[in-house]
Amino acid sequence: MIAVYPGSFDPVTLGHLDIITRTSQIADKLIVGILVNNNKQPMFTMDERLMMLNETVKGIPNVEVQTFEGMTIDFARQNGAKVIIRGLRVISDYESEMQIAQVNRSLDDSIETLFMATSLEHSFLSSTIAKEVAYYDREVEKLVPKIVADKFREKFGTKR
Ligand code: ADP
């Protein structure tokens, strides 16, 4: 089973890593897809997000990272994936995630969306929260991989 895990990963958090690690144990191959989203103004460039994700998953042999533009369903098809992974944290994730899953299913019903439940300790965690905490120079080590914490320091170091 090949699975894709699409997202903005701006930046990757320990919540994402938890989903990636757990999915890598049930999928033969997991392709993490960083979406080029023109509607969102990212904090990190595509190259930075790619570098941070590659560094974060480098110890997991069946995970690779790619970038993609356009629709997730096409990204899945191009990679021969039968499964799209999404993470669910709180109940408010449910509505939009269900909407995306239904649209994807209507576009190609041979590709399934699988929802992974977040681990309890990451249920409050998002890239936005991590950016907020980093901006105010609070401890981010429990929220993001080390490479991301370092990158935050680089970004915000002189601004505060
Ligand atoms: P998007 O902009 O597509 O929501 P994100 O990078 O924010 O991209 O998230 C990618 C996926 O990871 C989404 O399915 C999101 O619900 C999930 N996710 C984000 N943070 C967590 C977390 N702390 N625990 C579990 N899943 C998460």
Side-chain angles (χ1 to χ4, degrees), residues 5-10 13 15-16 19 40 85-89 93 97 116 118-119 122-123 125-127:
Y5 178 34
S8 313
F9 303 103
D10 183 41
T13 68
H16 294 131
I19 299 293
K40 280 190 190 172
I85 299 292
R86 294 289 287 176
L88 280 183
R89 284 160 295 188
D93 278 346
E97 290 297 338
M116 294 288 285
T118 184
S119 298
H122 301 127
S123 57
L125 178 55
S126 65
S127 299

Coordinates of all heavy atoms in Angstrom, one line a residue, residues 5-10 13 15-16 19 40 85-89 93 97 116 118-119 122-123 125-127, ligand 1:
Y5 N 0.5 11.7 2.1 CA 0.1 12.6 3.3 C 0.3 14.0 2.9 O 1.5 14.5 2.9 CB 0.9 12.2 4.5 CG 0.7 13.0 5.8 CD1 -0.6 13.5 6.1 CD2 1.7 13.3 6.7 CE1 -0.8 14.2 7.2 CE2 1.5 14.0 7.8 CZ 0.2 14.5 8.1 OH 0.0 15.2 9.3
P6 N -0.7 14.7 2.4 CA -0.6 16.1 1.9 C -0.8 17.1 3.0 O -1.5 16.9 3.9 CB -1.7 16.2 0.8 CG -2.8 15.3 1.4 CD -2.1 14.2 2.2
G7 N -0.2 18.2 2.8 CA -0.3 19.3 3.8 C 0.5 20.5 3.4 O 1.3 20.4 2.4
S8 N 0.4 21.6 4.2 CA 1.2 22.7 4.0 C 2.6 22.6 4.7 O 3.6 23.1 4.2 CB 0.6 24.0 4.5 OG -0.8 24.1 4.1
F9 N 2.6 21.9 5.8 CA 3.8 21.7 6.6 C 4.6 23.0 6.7 O 5.8 23.0 6.4 CB 4.6 20.6 6.0 CG 3.9 19.3 5.9 CD1 3.3 18.9 4.7 CD2 3.6 18.5 7.0 CE1 2.6 17.7 4.5 CE2 2.8 17.4 6.9 CZ 2.3 16.9 5.7
D10 N 4.0 24.0 7.2 CA 4.6 25.4 7.3 C 4.7 25.8 8.8 O 4.0 26.8 9.1 CB 3.7 26.4 6.5 CG 4.4 27.8 6.5 OD1 5.6 27.8 6.3 OD2 3.6 28.7 6.6
T13 N 5.5 19.8 12.3 CA 5.5 19.8 13.8 C 5.6 18.4 14.3 O 5.6 17.4 13.5 CB 4.1 20.3 14.3 OG1 3.1 19.4 14.0 CG2 3.8 21.7 13.8
G15 N 3.4 16.9 15.8 CA 2.1 16.3 15.5 C 2.1 15.6 14.1 O 1.7 14.5 13.9
H16 N 2.7 16.3 13.1 CA 2.8 15.7 11.8 C 3.7 14.5 11.9 O 3.5 13.5 11.3 CB 3.5 16.7 10.8 CG 2.6 17.9 10.5 ND1 3.1 19.2 10.6 CD2 1.3 18.1 10.1 CE1 2.2 20.1 10.2 NE2 1.1 19.4 10.0
I19 N 2.1 11.4 13.1 CA 1.2 10.8 12.0 C 2.1 10.1 11.0 O 1.8 9.0 10.6 CB 0.3 11.9 11.3 CG1 -0.6 12.6 12.3 CG2 -0.5 11.3 10.2 CD1 -1.7 11.8 12.9
K40 N -2.5 30.6 0.5 CA -1.9 30.8 1.8 C -0.6 31.5 1.7 O 0.2 31.1 0.8 CB -1.8 29.5 2.5 CG -3.0 28.9 3.2 CD -2.7 27.8 4.1 CE -3.9 27.0 4.5 NZ -3.6 25.8 5.3
I85 N -3.8 10.1 3.5 CA -3.8 10.2 4.9 C -4.1 11.6 5.4 O -3.5 12.6 4.8 CB -2.4 9.8 5.5 CG1 -2.0 8.4 5.1 CG2 -2.3 10.0 7.0 CD1 -2.9 7.3 5.8
R86 N -5.0 11.8 6.3 CA -5.1 13.1 6.9 C -5.2 12.9 8.5 O -5.6 11.8 8.9 CB -6.5 13.8 6.5 CG -6.5 14.1 5.0 CD -5.6 15.3 4.6 NE -6.1 16.6 5.1 CZ -5.4 17.7 5.0 NH1 -4.2 17.7 4.5 NH2 -5.9 18.9 5.4
G87 N -4.8 13.9 9.2 CA -4.8 13.8 10.6 C -6.0 14.5 11.2 O -6.5 15.5 10.7
L88 N -6.6 13.9 12.2 CA -7.7 14.5 12.9 C -7.4 14.9 14.3 O -6.9 14.0 15.1 CB -9.0 13.6 12.9 CG -9.8 13.5 11.7 CD1 -11.0 12.6 12.0 CD2 -10.3 14.9 11.2
R89 N -7.5 16.1 14.7 CA -7.2 16.5 16.1 C -8.5 16.7 16.9 O -8.9 15.9 17.6 CB -6.4 17.8 16.1 CG -5.0 17.7 15.7 CD -4.4 19.0 15.2 NE -5.0 19.4 14.0 CZ -4.6 20.4 13.3 NH1 -3.6 21.2 13.7 NH2 -5.2 20.8 12.1
D93 N -11.9 19.9 13.2 CA -11.2 19.4 12.0 C -12.2 18.6 11.1 O -12.0 18.6 9.9 CB -10.0 18.5 12.4 CG -8.8 19.2 12.7 OD1 -8.7 20.4 12.5 OD2 -7.9 18.5 13.3
E97 N -12.4 18.4 6.9 CA -11.7 17.2 6.5 C -12.7 16.3 5.7 O -12.4 15.6 4.7 CB -11.1 16.5 7.6 CG -9.9 17.2 8.2 CD -8.7 17.3 7.2 OE1 -8.6 16.6 6.2 OE2 -7.9 18.2 7.4
M116 N -6.1 9.6 10.5 CA -5.3 9.1 11.7 C -5.7 10.0 12.9 O -5.6 11.3 12.7 CB -3.9 9.2 11.4 CG -3.4 8.3 10.3 SD -3.3 6.6 10.8 CE -1.8 6.6 11.8
T118 N -5.0 11.9 16.2 CA -3.8 12.5 16.8 C -3.5 11.8 18.1 O -4.4 11.3 18.8 CB -4.0 14.0 17.0 OG1 -2.8 14.6 17.5 CG2 -5.1 14.3 18.0
S119 N -2.3 11.9 18.5 CA -1.9 11.4 19.9 C -2.4 12.5 20.8 O -2.3 13.7 20.5 CB -0.4 11.2 20.0 OG 0.0 10.2 19.1
H122 N -0.5 15.8 21.2 CA -0.4 16.7 20.1 C -1.8 17.3 19.7 O -1.9 17.9 18.6 CB 0.2 16.0 18.9 CG 1.6 15.4 19.2 ND1 1.9 14.1 19.0 CD2 2.7 16.0 19.7 CE1 3.2 13.9 19.3 NE2 3.7 15.1 19.7
S123 N -2.8 17.0 20.4 CA -4.1 17.3 20.0 C -4.4 18.8 19.9 O -5.3 19.3 19.1 CB -5.2 16.7 20.9 OG -5.0 17.1 22.2
L125 N -1.9 20.9 18.9 CA -0.8 21.4 18.2 C -1.0 21.6 16.7 O -1.5 20.8 16.0 CB 0.4 20.4 18.4 CG 1.7 20.8 17.7 CD1 2.2 22.1 18.0 CD2 2.8 19.7 18.0
S126 N -0.7 22.8 16.2 CA -0.8 23.1 14.8 C 0.5 23.9 14.4 O 1.2 24.4 15.3 CB -2.0 24.0 14.5 OG -1.9 25.2 15.1
S127 N 0.7 24.0 13.1 CA 1.9 24.9 12.7 C 1.7 26.3 13.1 O 2.6 27.0 13.5 CB 2.0 24.8 11.1 OG 2.2 23.5 10.7
Ligands
ADP1 P1 -3.3 21.8 5.7 O1 -2.9 23.2 5.3 O2 -3.6 20.9 4.5 O3 -4.3 21.6 6.8 P2 -1.3 21.1 7.6 O4 0.2 21.1 7.3 O5 -1.7 22.1 8.5 O6 -1.9 21.2 6.2 O7 -1.7 19.7 8.1 C1 -1.6 18.5 7.3 C2 -2.4 17.4 7.9 O8 -1.9 17.1 9.2 C3 -3.9 17.7 8.1 O9 -4.6 16.6 7.9 C4 -3.9 18.1 9.6 O10 -5.2 17.8 10.1 C5 -2.9 17.1 10.1 N1 -2.3 17.6 11.4 C6 -1.8 18.8 11.7 N2 -1.4 18.9 13.0 C7 -1.7 17.7 13.5 C8 -1.5 17.2 14.8 N3 -1.0 17.9 15.8 N4 -1.9 15.9 15.1 C9 -2.5 15.2 14.0 N5 -2.7 15.7 12.8 C10 -2.3 16.9 12.5

